[in-house]
Coordinates of all heavy atoms in Angstrom, one line a residue:
E1 N 89.4 58.0 4.7 CA 89.1 57.5 6.0 C 89.0 56.0 6.1 O 89.5 55.3 7.0 CB 87.8 58.2 6.6 CG 88.0 59.7 6.8 CD 86.7 60.4 7.2 OE1 85.6 59.7 7.3 OE2 86.7 61.6 7.3
R2 N 88.3 55.4 5.1 CA 88.2 54.0 5.0 C 89.5 53.3 4.9 O 89.8 52.3 5.6 CB 87.3 53.6 3.8 CG 87.0 52.1 3.6 CD 86.1 51.8 2.4 NE 86.6 52.3 1.2 CZ 87.6 51.8 0.5 NH1 88.2 50.7 0.9 NH2 88.0 52.3 -0.7
I3 N 90.4 53.8 4.0 CA 91.7 53.2 3.8 C 92.5 53.4 5.1 O 93.2 52.5 5.5 CB 92.4 53.8 2.6 CG1 91.6 53.4 1.3 CG2 93.8 53.4 2.5 CD1 92.1 54.1 0.1
F4 N 92.5 54.6 5.7 CA 93.2 54.9 6.9 C 92.9 53.9 8.0 O 93.7 53.4 8.7 CB 93.0 56.3 7.3 CG 93.9 56.8 8.4 CD1 95.2 57.2 8.2 CD2 93.4 56.9 9.7 CE1 96.0 57.6 9.2 CE2 94.1 57.3 10.7 CZ 95.5 57.7 10.5
A5 N 91.6 53.6 8.1 CA 91.1 52.7 9.2 C 91.7 51.3 9.1 O 91.9 50.6 10.1 CB 89.6 52.7 9.2
K6 N 92.0 50.9 7.8 CA 92.5 49.6 7.6 C 94.0 49.4 7.8 O 94.5 48.3 7.9 CB 92.2 49.1 6.2 CG 90.7 48.9 5.9 CD 90.5 48.5 4.5 CE 89.1 48.3 4.1 NZ 88.9 47.9 2.7
L7 N 94.7 50.6 7.9 CA 96.2 50.5 8.1 C 96.6 50.1 9.5 O 95.9 50.5 10.5 CB 96.8 51.9 7.7 CG 96.6 52.4 6.3 CD1 97.1 53.8 6.2 CD2 97.5 51.5 5.4
P8 N 97.8 49.5 9.6 CA 98.3 49.2 10.9 C 98.8 50.5 11.5 O 99.1 51.5 10.8 CB 99.5 48.2 10.6 CG 99.8 48.4 9.2 CD 98.6 48.8 8.5
P9 N 99.0 50.5 12.8 CA 99.4 51.8 13.5 C 100.7 52.4 13.0 O 100.7 53.7 12.8 CB 99.6 51.3 15.0 CG 98.8 50.1 15.1 CD 98.8 49.5 13.8
E10 N 101.7 51.7 12.6 CA 102.9 52.3 12.1 C 102.7 52.9 10.8 O 103.3 54.0 10.5 CB 104.1 51.3 12.1 CG 103.9 50.1 11.2 CD 103.1 48.9 11.8 OE1 102.7 49.0 13.0 OE2 103.0 47.9 11.2
A11 N 101.8 52.3 9.9 CA 101.5 52.9 8.6 C 100.7 54.2 8.8 O 100.8 55.1 8.0 CB 100.8 51.9 7.8
K12 N 99.8 54.2 9.8 CA 99.0 55.4 10.1 C 99.9 56.5 10.4 O 99.7 57.7 10.0 CB 98.0 55.1 11.2 CG 96.8 54.2 10.8 CD 95.9 54.0 11.9 CE 94.7 53.1 11.5 NZ 93.8 52.8 12.6
R13 N 100.9 56.3 11.3 CA 101.8 57.3 11.7 C 102.6 57.9 10.5 O 102.8 59.0 10.3 CB 102.8 56.8 12.8 CG 103.8 57.8 13.3 CD 103.1 58.8 14.2 NE 103.2 60.1 13.6 CZ 102.4 61.2 13.8 NH1 101.5 61.1 14.6 NH2 102.7 62.3 13.2
E14 N 103.1 56.9 9.6 CA 103.8 57.3 8.4 C 102.9 58.2 7.5 O 103.4 59.2 7.0 CB 104.3 56.1 7.7 CG 105.2 56.3 6.6 CD 105.8 55.0 6.0 OE1 105.7 54.0 6.6 OE2 106.2 55.1 4.8
L15 N 101.7 57.8 7.4 CA 100.8 58.5 6.5 C 100.5 59.9 7.1 O 100.5 60.9 6.4 CB 99.4 57.8 6.3 CG 98.4 58.4 5.4 CD1 99.0 58.6 4.0 CD2 97.2 57.6 5.3
L16 N 100.4 60.0 8.4 CA 100.2 61.3 9.0 C 101.4 62.2 8.9 O 101.3 63.4 8.6 CB 99.8 61.1 10.5 CG 98.4 60.6 10.8 CD1 98.2 60.4 12.3 CD2 97.4 61.6 10.3
D17 N 102.6 61.6 9.0 CA 103.8 62.4 8.8 C 103.9 62.9 7.4 O 104.3 64.1 7.2 CB 105.1 61.5 9.1 CG 105.3 61.2 10.5 OD1 104.7 61.9 11.4 OD2 106.0 60.3 10.8
Y18 N 103.5 62.1 6.4 CA 103.6 62.5 5.0 C 102.5 63.6 4.8 O 102.8 64.6 4.1 CB 103.3 61.3 4.1 CG 103.5 61.7 2.6 CD1 104.7 62.2 2.1 CD2 102.4 61.7 1.8 CE1 104.8 62.5 0.8 CE2 102.5 62.0 0.5 CZ 103.7 62.5 0.0 OH 103.8 62.8 -1.3
A19 N 101.3 63.5 5.4 CA 100.3 64.5 5.2 C 100.8 65.8 5.8 O 100.5 66.9 5.3 CB 99.0 64.0 5.9
E20 N 101.5 65.8 7.0 CA 102.0 67.0 7.6 C 103.0 67.6 6.6 O 103.1 68.9 6.5 CB 102.6 66.7 8.9 CG 101.5 66.4 10.0 CD 102.1 66.0 11.3 OE1 103.3 65.9 11.4 OE2 101.3 65.7 12.2
F21 N 103.9 66.8 6.0 CA 104.9 67.3 5.1 C 104.2 68.0 3.9 O 104.6 69.1 3.5 CB 105.7 66.1 4.6 CG 106.5 66.5 3.3 CD1 107.6 67.3 3.4 CD2 106.1 66.0 2.1 CE1 108.3 67.6 2.2 CE2 106.8 66.3 0.9 CZ 107.9 67.1 1.0
L22 N 103.1 67.4 3.4 CA 102.4 68.0 2.2 C 101.7 69.3 2.7 O 101.7 70.3 1.9 CB 101.4 67.0 1.7 CG 101.9 65.8 0.9 CD1 100.8 64.9 0.5 CD2 102.7 66.2 -0.3
L23 N 101.2 69.3 3.9 CA 100.6 70.6 4.4 C 101.6 71.7 4.5 O 101.3 72.8 4.1 CB 100.0 70.3 5.7 CG 99.1 71.4 6.3 CD1 98.0 71.7 5.4 CD2 98.6 71.0 7.7
Q24 N 102.8 71.4 4.9 CA 103.9 72.4 5.0 C 104.3 72.8 3.6 O 104.5 74.0 3.3 CB 105.1 71.9 5.7 CG 105.0 71.8 7.2 CD 106.2 71.2 7.8 OE1 107.1 70.7 7.2 NE2 106.3 71.3 9.1
K25 N 104.3 71.9 2.7 CA 104.7 72.2 1.3 C 103.7 73.0 0.5 O 104.0 74.0 -0.1 CB 105.0 70.9 0.5 CG 105.5 71.1 -0.9 CD 105.9 69.8 -1.5 CE 106.4 70.0 -2.9 NZ 106.8 68.8 -3.5
Y26 N 102.4 72.7 0.7 CA 101.3 73.3 -0.1 C 100.4 74.1 0.7 O 99.6 74.9 0.1 CB 100.5 72.2 -0.9 CG 101.4 71.4 -1.9 CD1 101.7 70.1 -1.6 CD2 101.8 72.0 -3.0 CE1 102.5 69.4 -2.5 CE2 102.5 71.3 -4.0 CZ 102.9 70.0 -3.7 OH 103.6 69.3 -4.6
G27 N 100.4 74.0 2.0 CA 99.3 74.6 2.8 C 99.3 76.1 2.8 O 98.3 76.7 2.4
K28 N 100.4 76.7 3.2 CA 100.4 78.2 3.3 C 101.3 78.7 2.2 O 102.5 78.9 2.4 CB 100.9 78.6 4.6 CG 100.0 78.3 5.8 CD 100.6 78.8 7.1 CE 99.7 78.5 8.2 NZ 100.2 79.0 9.5
R29 N 100.8 78.9 1.1 CA 101.6 79.5 0.0 C 101.5 81.0 0.1 O 100.4 81.6 0.0 CB 101.0 79.1 -1.4 CG 101.3 77.6 -1.6 CD 102.0 77.5 -2.9 NE 102.6 76.1 -2.9 CZ 103.2 75.7 -4.0 NH1 103.3 76.5 -5.0 NH2 103.7 74.5 -4.0
E30 N 102.6 81.6 0.3 CA 102.7 83.1 0.4 C 102.7 83.6 -1.0 O 103.5 83.2 -1.9 CB 104.0 83.5 1.1 CG 104.1 84.9 1.4 CD 105.3 85.3 2.1 OE1 105.7 84.6 3.1 OE2 106.0 86.3 1.7
V31 N 101.8 84.6 -1.3 CA 101.8 85.2 -2.6 C 102.9 86.4 -2.5 O 102.8 87.3 -1.7 CB 100.4 85.8 -2.9 CG1 100.4 86.6 -4.2 CG2 99.4 84.7 -2.9
R32 N 103.8 86.2 -3.3 CA 104.9 87.2 -3.4 C 104.8 88.1 -4.6 O 104.6 87.5 -5.7 CB 106.3 86.5 -3.4 CG 106.6 85.8 -2.2 CD 108.0 85.2 -2.2 NE 108.1 84.0 -1.4 CZ 109.0 83.2 -1.5 NH1 109.9 83.3 -2.4 NH2 109.1 82.1 -0.7
G33 N 104.8 89.3 -4.5 CA 104.8 90.2 -5.6 C 106.1 90.8 -5.9 O 107.1 90.5 -5.1
F34 N 106.3 91.5 -6.9 CA 107.6 92.1 -7.2 C 107.8 93.3 -6.3 O 106.9 94.0 -6.0 CB 107.6 92.5 -8.7 CG 107.6 91.4 -9.7 CD1 106.5 91.1 -10.4 CD2 108.8 90.6 -9.8 CE1 106.5 90.0 -11.3 CE2 108.8 89.6 -10.7 CZ 107.7 89.3 -11.5
K35 N 109.0 93.4 -5.9 CA 109.4 94.6 -5.1 C 110.2 95.5 -6.0 O 111.2 95.1 -6.6 CB 110.2 94.2 -3.9 CG 109.5 93.3 -2.9 CD 110.3 93.0 -1.8 CE 109.5 92.1 -0.8 NZ 110.3 91.6 0.3
F36 N 109.7 96.7 -6.2 CA 110.4 97.7 -7.1 C 111.3 98.6 -6.3 O 111.1 99.8 -6.3 CB 109.3 98.4 -7.9 CG 108.5 97.6 -8.8 CD1 107.3 97.1 -8.5 CD2 109.1 97.2 -10.0 CE1 106.6 96.3 -9.3 CE2 108.4 96.4 -10.9 CZ 107.1 95.9 -10.6
T37 N 112.2 98.0 -5.5 CA 113.1 98.8 -4.7 C 114.1 99.6 -5.5 O 114.6 100.6 -5.1 CB 113.9 97.9 -3.8 OG1 114.6 96.9 -4.6 CG2 113.0 97.2 -2.8
W38 N 114.2 99.3 -6.8 CA 115.1 100.0 -7.7 C 114.4 101.2 -8.3 O 115.1 102.0 -8.9 CB 115.6 99.0 -8.8 CG 114.5 98.3 -9.5 CD1 114.0 97.1 -9.2 CD2 113.6 98.8 -10.5 NE1 112.9 96.8 -9.9 CE2 112.7 97.8 -10.8 CE3 113.6 100.0 -11.3 CZ2 111.7 98.0 -11.8 CZ3 112.6 100.1 -12.2 CH2 111.7 99.1 -12.5
E39 N 113.1 101.3 -8.2 CA 112.4 102.3 -8.8 C 112.9 103.7 -8.5 O 113.1 104.1 -7.3 CB 110.9 102.2 -8.4 CG 110.0 103.1 -9.2 CD 108.5 102.9 -8.9 OE1 108.2 102.2 -7.9 OE2 107.7 103.4 -9.6
G40 N 113.2 104.5 -9.5 CA 113.6 105.9 -9.3 C 115.1 106.0 -9.1 O 115.6 107.1 -9.0
K41 N 115.8 104.9 -9.0 CA 117.3 105.0 -8.7 C 118.1 105.5 -9.9 O 119.2 106.0 -9.7 CB 117.8 103.6 -8.4 CG 117.2 102.9 -7.2 CD 117.5 103.6 -5.9 CE 117.0 102.8 -4.8 NZ 116.7 103.5 -3.6
L42 N 117.5 105.5 -11.1 CA 118.3 105.9 -12.3 C 117.7 107.3 -12.8 O 117.9 107.6 -14.0 CB 118.2 104.9 -13.4 CG 118.8 103.5 -13.1 CD1 118.6 102.6 -14.2 CD2 120.3 103.7 -12.9
K43 N 117.1 108.0 -11.9 CA 116.4 109.3 -12.4 C 117.5 110.3 -12.8 O 117.2 111.2 -13.6 CB 115.5 109.8 -11.3 CG 116.3 110.2 -10.0 CD 115.3 110.7 -9.0 CE 116.1 110.9 -7.7 NZ 115.2 111.1 -6.6
D44 N 118.7 110.2 -12.4 CA 119.8 111.1 -12.7 C 120.5 110.7 -14.0 O 121.3 111.5 -14.5 CB 120.7 111.3 -11.6 CG 120.1 111.9 -10.3 OD1 119.1 112.7 -10.5 OD2 120.5 111.6 -9.2

């Protein structure tokens, strides 16, 4: 917050844009498990 307050307006906008990018990249990480759609297909 201290550093952000010292920045000029255009740098603040750039920093906010980058923070939003990082939030999209790391914010909502979907936990994906394995899907065993092939299970039982070779029973014959």
